[in-house]
Amino acid sequence: QVQLVESGGDSVQTGGSLRLSCVVSGNTDGTYCMGWFRQTPGKEREGVAAVYAGSKRSYADFVKARFTVTQDNAKNTLYLQMNSLEPEDTAVYYCALRKVCGAHWYAALQSRNYDYWGQGTQVTVSS
């Protein structure tokens, strides 16, 4: 069984920054890739940023170079550095893990391709 635990969510003002973390534990059976997703009430979960093909990164268009995803395999931790936050970024952010990394940037941002999920961490950006 694999467990994912997110942390780092908070309330900030427009233009602020946050760093989310996601720690992986349990039996991952070796190589895996991870991603960040977010969801607001009444909307589908959407991909934010992900690692694929080992070390490549994929970002949603709305990130606009404001966010950076990093995966530290030595620490079993995934990070999401979020800068220049906007009210539209308000959501519950989830990390996810998939055992098949794949080679396509688009697939890395699709929630249906992931096997395990964390419980989510709330990010609120006020104007």
Side-chain angles (χ1 to χ4, degrees):
Q1 190 72 357
V2 175
Q3 293 83 39
L4 309 177
V5 179
E6 303 100 331
S7 62
D10 205 344
S11 296
V12 297
Q13 293 188 331
T14 298
S17 297
L18 285 174
R19 188 193 195 201
L20 305 183
S21 300
C22 175
V23 178
V24 181
S25 62
N27 185 11
T28 60
D29 293 329
T31 302
Y32 57 85
C33 284
M34 300 183 68
W36 288 100
F37 295 78
R38 70 185 189 185
Q39 190 170 23
T40 55
K43 292 188 177 181
E44 292 189 358
R45 194 167 297 186
E46 60 181 357
V48 177
V51 178
Y52 72 103
S55 59
K56 296 182 180 179
R57 298 179 177 88
S58 179
Y59 294 96
D61 289 343
F62 59 76
V63 168
K64 299 176 184 177
R66 299 178 297 131
F67 297 179
T68 302
V69 61
T70 54
Q71 183 172 323
D72 188 336
N73 290 331
K75 296 183 178 180
N76 293 332
T77 303
L78 181 75
Y79 301 98
L80 183 66
Q81 178 66 44
M82 304 188 295
N83 300 324
S84 301
L85 284 163
E86 304 167 350
E88 294 74 20
D89 296 316
T90 295
V92 177
Y93 284 71
Y94 298 89
C95 69
L97 180 150
R98 56 177 181 157
K99 294 190 174 183
V100 178
C101 287
H104 301 289
W105 68 267
Y106 180 78
L109 295 176
Q110 304 304 306
S111 59
R112 63 178 179 272
N113 293 325
Y114 286 79
D115 306 303
Y116 300 96
W117 293 85
Q119 81 290 348
T121 186
Q122 177 71 46
V123 172
T124 302
V125 185
S126 58
S127 57

